[in-house]
């Protein structure tokens, strides 16, 4: 799932060569402004030059992260029985192919979701695989439409529940992972958790001077060296 991070996408593609994928599906959507669209166009060029056997879906409108994820999963789940899902900031560790092949065999037999990234025990999907059936389950419901009496117990109190549902509905600052985590619990979706972390999130949490002095956000790095070019849309 790509958007406007060219360098990061290059690293991701390099890391998944070890999987020898039969086909790589690229999902990308346009940006809401001209400046960001320039970066999207660079990503499109990279995808066009990619040597993998590939299928590409370009969404002409700006989808936002949640809608982009749902669109990508709907598309690919109608094409494949099971598949890996990588965002453009999730890099696979070297020499992970053998371990993942065993986990994918288990996923094929048991169904559900395979999670092999950082914080995989939590509702975080930083490197995962899924069967088409499960992918369709995950995108079949909006979490705020699920019965309150069944979902509210996962929250501190009713106001925490209502606030989170409203934030998810607005797409305001909460990741799609949170929504999938709730839906997985509600639908009792099986999760296969890898023993070891097999991916890295390409991001470095920092506090920079300026508007983010007291906040945190992701900045890109390569081989442990902070990249000077601004690319803080992680």
């Amino acid at each position: 799932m790509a958007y406007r991070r060219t360098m990061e996408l290059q690293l991701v593609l390099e890391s998944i060569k070890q999987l020898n994928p039969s086909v790589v599906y690229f999902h990308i959507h346009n940006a809401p402004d001209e400046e960001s669209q320039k970066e999207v166009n660079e990503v499109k060029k990279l995808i066009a030059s990619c040597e993998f056997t590939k299928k590409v879906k370009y969404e002409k409108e700006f989808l936002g992260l949640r809608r982009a994820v749902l669109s990508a999963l709907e598309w690919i789940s109608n094409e494949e029985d099971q598949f890996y899902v990588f965002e453009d900031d999730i890099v696979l560790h070297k020499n992970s192919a053998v371990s993942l092949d065993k986990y994918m065999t288990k996923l094929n037999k048991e169904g559900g979701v395979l999670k092999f990234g950082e914080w995989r025990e939590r509702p975080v999907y930083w490197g995962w695989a899924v069967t088409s059936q499960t992918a369709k389950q995950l995108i079949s419901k909006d979490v705020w439409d699920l019965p309150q009496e069944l979902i509210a117990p996962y929250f501190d109190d009713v106001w925490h529940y209502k606030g989170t549902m409203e934030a998810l509905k607005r797409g305001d600052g909460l990741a799609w992972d949170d929504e999938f985590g709730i839906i997985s619990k509600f639908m009792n979706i099986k999760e296969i958790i890898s023993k070891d972390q097999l991916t890295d999130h390409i991001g470095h949490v920092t506090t920079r001077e300026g508007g983010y002095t007291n906040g945190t956000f992701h900045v890109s790095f390569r081989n442990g060296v902070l990249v000077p070019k601004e690319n803080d849309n992680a």
Side-chain angles (χ1 to χ4, degrees):
M1 294 184 286
Y3 182 40
R4 58 189 181 102
R5 293 182 284 216
T6 308
M7 184 202 73
E8 288 88 341
L9 181 57
Q10 286 179 314
L11 294 176
V12 175
L13 295 176
E14 184 65 30
S15 77
I16 67 170
K17 285 182 178 179
Q18 61 184 292
L19 299 177
N20 295 314
S22 58
V23 59
V24 176
Y25 290 80
F26 290 94
H27 186 279
I28 185 171
H29 60 101
N30 281 337
D33 59 82
E34 291 185 7
E35 199 61 33
S36 298
Q37 186 60 39
K38 292 178 182 178
E39 294 178 313
V40 172
N41 292 340
E42 290 302 310
V43 173
K44 288 182 177 181
K45 291 178 183 178
L46 172 61
I47 292 173
S49 66
C50 175
E51 295 182 354
F52 286 116
T53 299
K54 57 182 178 284
K55 294 184 180 181
V56 184
K57 184 174 184 179
Y58 292 130
E59 299 279 9
K60 294 182 179 180
E61 63 176 315
F62 171 67
L63 297 180
L65 181 54
R66 180 182 183 274
R67 289 175 60 204
V69 171
L70 299 184
S71 175
L73 292 178
E74 180 180 21
W75 171 44
I76 302 170
S77 64
N78 287 320
E79 299 280 335
E80 302 290 340
D81 292 330
Q82 69 177 34
F83 50 92
Y84 291 104
V85 184
F86 286 91
E87 291 183 81
D88 57 3
D89 58 354
I90 303 299
V91 173
L92 184 62
H93 287 181
K94 294 180 179 179
N95 304 316
S96 295
V98 174
S99 294
L100 280 177
D101 186 58
K102 294 177 181 178
Y103 284 120
M104 289 296 277
T105 299
K106 184 175 183 179
L107 179 67
N108 184 51
K109 292 180 179 178
E110 300 180 8
V113 173
L114 163 63
K115 297 169 68 176
F116 49 89
E118 188 177 4
W119 292 349
R120 55 202 174 278
E121 302 88 355
R122 304 180 186 180
V124 176
Y125 293 72
W126 288 352
W128 57 296
V130 65
T131 65
S132 60
Q133 180 180 359
T134 301
K136 291 174 181 177
Q137 286 181 291
L138 288 170
I139 65 177
S140 66
K141 298 182 182 297
D142 293 323
V143 67
W144 51 84
D145 288 334
L146 300 178
Q148 178 177 336
E149 64 271 18
L150 297 179
I151 302 303
Y154 295 122
F155 296 85
D156 295 335
D157 53 43
V158 66
W159 301 112
H160 181 208
Y161 161 77
K162 289 184 175 181
T164 302
M165 292 302 103
E166 186 62 28
L168 287 168
K169 191 183 298 186
R170 296 181 184 185
D172 185 17
L174 293 178
W176 55 269
D177 309 53
D178 297 326
E179 186 174 349
F180 278 12
I182 296 170
I183 291 174
S184 291
K185 289 181 179 295
F186 174 76
M187 303 187 75
N188 199 27
I189 291 174
K190 180 179 180 60
E191 289 190 345
I192 300 170
I193 306 296
S194 66
K195 179 182 177 182
D196 299 312
Q197 176 185 332
L198 300 179
T199 68
D200 283 318
H201 182 218
I202 310 176
H204 177 71
V205 178
T206 184
T207 52
R208 280 191 182 172
E209 294 183 359
Y212 296 92
T213 302
N214 296 316
T216 60
F217 61 107
H218 292 291
V219 294
S220 299
F221 71 94
R222 190 168 190 170
N223 297 328
V225 179
L226 196 65
V227 174
K229 176 184 175 183
E230 291 293 335
N231 194 6
D232 301 325
N233 54 343

